[in-house]
Amino acid sequence: ASLVLDDLRMVHVYHSNKAESNYGSQRRTGLVLTGTNHELTNSVIAYSSGSGVFLEGSDHWMVNNFLHDHDYIGGYASALELVASDCVISHNTMTRTGRQVLGLRDSFASIIQHNDFSFAGYLTTDLGLVYGNGIEGDNLVVRYNWFHDNVSSFKGFGIYYDHGCRDIITHNNLVWNVPDSGIHNNQ
């Protein structure tokens, strides 16, 4: 691996009281990992007004981490912003966000499996615990995850593929306690 980050304890990884007017305010914040072939394992990343982890590039491993209390400004940030290809995101717990827990943007050919995603939508509406907008997934796989407790008061989904997402293989996930549908594909 190019960079191995193991057993980190990071709190207050980013804070700003300024929201940008453009779509995606404070997404590229928190622990920002770019490049190729990085590993983030066995770590706790907590408290960010924006994203907790911003993962960009390719061939990253993110396994057995606890991400919590992110996007407390209520923008479009997430506990994890995935802007990468050929990654493995596995056995993580991500919880308590102002908007979505997992943000997919330019995410390709990766595997997202055996994760626990919960308690999204504290500050915004029209979201899923996982949310992707216009993603061309190139066989991105979302499998064997738990999606639960979307607390949004309007249009709160488990898995939300918005505005023409395609080539995302989604199977064997468990979704519960969301105000709207478990999976919403907005075409």
Side-chain angles (χ1 to χ4, degrees), residues 126-129 150 155-160 178-184:
D126 190 13
L127 64 120
L129 288 147
N150 186 332
K155 289 189 178 181
F157 306 103
I159 300 167
Y160 190 180
V178 297
D180 292 290
S181 59
I183 299 177
H184 187 77

Side-chain angles (χ1 to χ4, degrees), residues 140-143 147 159 161 167-173 183:
L140 172 72
V141 177
V142 179
R143 65 184 182 195
F147 297 98
I159 300 167
Y161 300 136
D167 295 328
I168 302 172
I169 302 164
T170 304
H171 66 90
N172 292 91
N173 296 288
I183 299 177

Side-chain angles (χ1 to χ4, degrees), residues 12 28 43 50 57 62 73 76 79 146 161:
H12 305 288
R28 191 184 178 90
S43 296
M62 187 172 157
I73 200 167
Y76 278 86
W146 289 354
Y161 300 136

Side-chain angles (χ1 to χ4, degrees), residues 29-130:
T29 60
L31 175 60
V32 177
L33 293 173
T34 63
T36 59
N37 199 26
H38 301 318
E39 294 180 16
L40 175 62
T41 57
N42 307 312
S43 296
V44 176
I45 314 293
Y47 307 108
S48 170
S49 61
S51 295
V53 175
F54 184 91
L55 197 57
E56 182 178 51
S58 65
D59 300 300
H60 304 302
W61 283 74
M62 187 172 157
V63 179
N64 195 40
N65 299 287
F66 181 38
L67 280 61
H68 66 89
D69 297 287
H70 297 291
D71 188 32
Y72 57 73
I73 200 167
Y76 278 86
S78 310
L80 171 62
E81 277 292 315
L82 185 61
V83 187
S85 67
D86 302 297
C87 298
V88 174
I89 309 300
S90 186
H91 293 86
N92 301 285
T93 298
M94 300 180 208
T95 187
R96 297 191 303 266
T97 59
R99 191 167 172 79
Q100 66 270 350
V101 176
L102 171 61
L104 300 176
R105 187 173 52 150
D106 297 328
S107 305
F108 310 99
S110 294
I111 297 173
I112 300 167
Q113 65 182 7
H114 302 291
N115 299 287
D116 184 347
F117 301 108
S118 65
F119 293 97
Y122 278 103
L123 299 173
T124 62
T125 61
D126 190 13
L127 64 120
L129 288 147
V130 60

